Amino acid sequence: MTALPFDIPGELRVGGERTPADGNEQFVVDDPATGDTLSQVHNASEDDARAAVDAAADALASWSATPPRERGEILRRAFELLTERADDLAKVIVLENGKAMPDARGEAVYSAEFFRWFSEEAVRIDGSLTHAPSGANRIIAIRQPVGVSILVTPWNFPAAMATRKIAPALAAGCTVVLKPASDTPLTALAVADVLAEAGVPDGVVNVVPARRSGPVVDAMLSHPATRKLSFTGSTEVGRSLLERAAPRVLNCSMELGGNAPFIVFADADLEAAVDGAMLAKMRNGGESCIAANRFYAEASIADEFSGRLAQRMAAMKVGPGIDPSNEVGPLVNEKSRDEVAELVAAAVDGGAKVRAGAEVPDRRGWFYTPTVLSEVDPGSAILEHEIFGPVAPVVSFSTEDEAVALANDTEFGLAAYLYTGDLARGLRVSEAIETGMVGLNRGFISDPAAPFGGVKQSGLGREGVHDGILEFLETKYIAASW
Ligand code: NAP
Ligand code: MG
């Protein structure tokens, strides 16, 4: 059994205290590489969740009145502490999520960067002053914090999905309650402790791990002090949360599921396309909302592309993420692993050819071998669902219009990737693709300085850049005469 790199007390974090859950109820967090228990974490009840919203409400007036420069400096300190401790945080991420160590280190650094970015944005909250066209008055627009915000995050980036919300919320002057995914609550608790050390006042960031997510989140959404819900997770849960946020007309930001197409035109630099495909597919072992989910290769190069990709995928070293030489860790849990295996089996039944992998290795933990399928039937379920695993299905196409039509044939619209040597075509296709983000001759697009988010059923709103702080601000208009 691997030990955590530092002690992470399992209590809730409410109002600056470590608070046991109602009746001291706890749940187990395990290591997906072995199935062993890592730790016990307190299981928040609905009353615990309401108490956390009370704490956030109590802290709001003082935090929102704290000068932006001071808020920014606390966030800057959080960036420095998280950066100093990135290696230890990466170990926690590996142990509860399973991802490979290089991916976890990348996430730890990425998650810290949101505090640096939003420490700088805290002092750039703008407004405007204009003349009414009639000349009768002035129009003043100011921005004010939305208020108490509920943050609900997934297990696939347990640090970064939390800090991408906490950092802009705090920069804007909001206070928060974070409900982390029940597979990965330890990283969130560790981040909250670092924030307290950085000087975030009591009650500004509260954390309520919970196994009964539905009722616990509902208790917070119906609390009269709650003003906002920022959610990252599946489209299915996002849809349901929008309905449950409707009775109180809560301000909602939604980062939902994806089904990213990866298009390779025959005029692309094939080596660069394969490098990009490896990044877009295999970061986080494929457990990413922006993971390339469907590969479309122009017919004349489809076989060569599949072959080169298969070679690279088959060469990846699979094993527990805690050993830094491993490149692919286990999936997060047994259910996820089984779902990936079933999607592959169905595609193969439908005529797809296995070019690499498609195996459940004979070892402990929830591993699946990196897989490439070619000649995948365009109607296969594997092309419609988020695979969320190390599997690359390849389909061939003949014309640019066909590639765009295939790419857009989905309810999702988060990310897309395309490789071409013709920049005019690259920009034309980028504009035609219905997604919030496009990687043009790039397989890696995440950046705190860029607007991250989706169209269609992949979400509402953007995180990162200046847009991210606007999600936690409301505009007030003052009609003034003087
Ligand atoms: P999920 O099942 O939707 O869960 C996300 C969060 O919602 C978790 O904290 C979960 O808690 C909670 N939750 C689940 N059911 C709930 C309910 N009925 N009411 C209230 N809360 C509920 O998603 P996931 O499996 O953790 O994460 C994978 C998904 O996230 C994928 O679809 C991926 O594309 C998406 N994602 C999107 C982005 C983006 O930026 N667009 C980024 C990362 C991931 P429990 O853990 O207790 O179930
Ligand atoms: Mg686990």
Side-chain angles (χ1 to χ4, degrees), residues 29-32 96-97 183-184 332:
V29 182
D30 57 25
D31 174 357
E96 68 174 351
N97 165 281
D183 274 326
T184 57
V332 70

Side-chain angles (χ1 to χ4, degrees), residues 153 155 164 179 182 213 232-234 244 255-256 289 386 452:
T153 52
W155 49 262
R164 198 163 78 178
K179 206 295 293 165
S182 51
S213 302
T232 298
S234 61
R244 289 143 63 197
E255 293 285 346
L256 307 178
C289 53
E386 257 190 309
F452 193 105

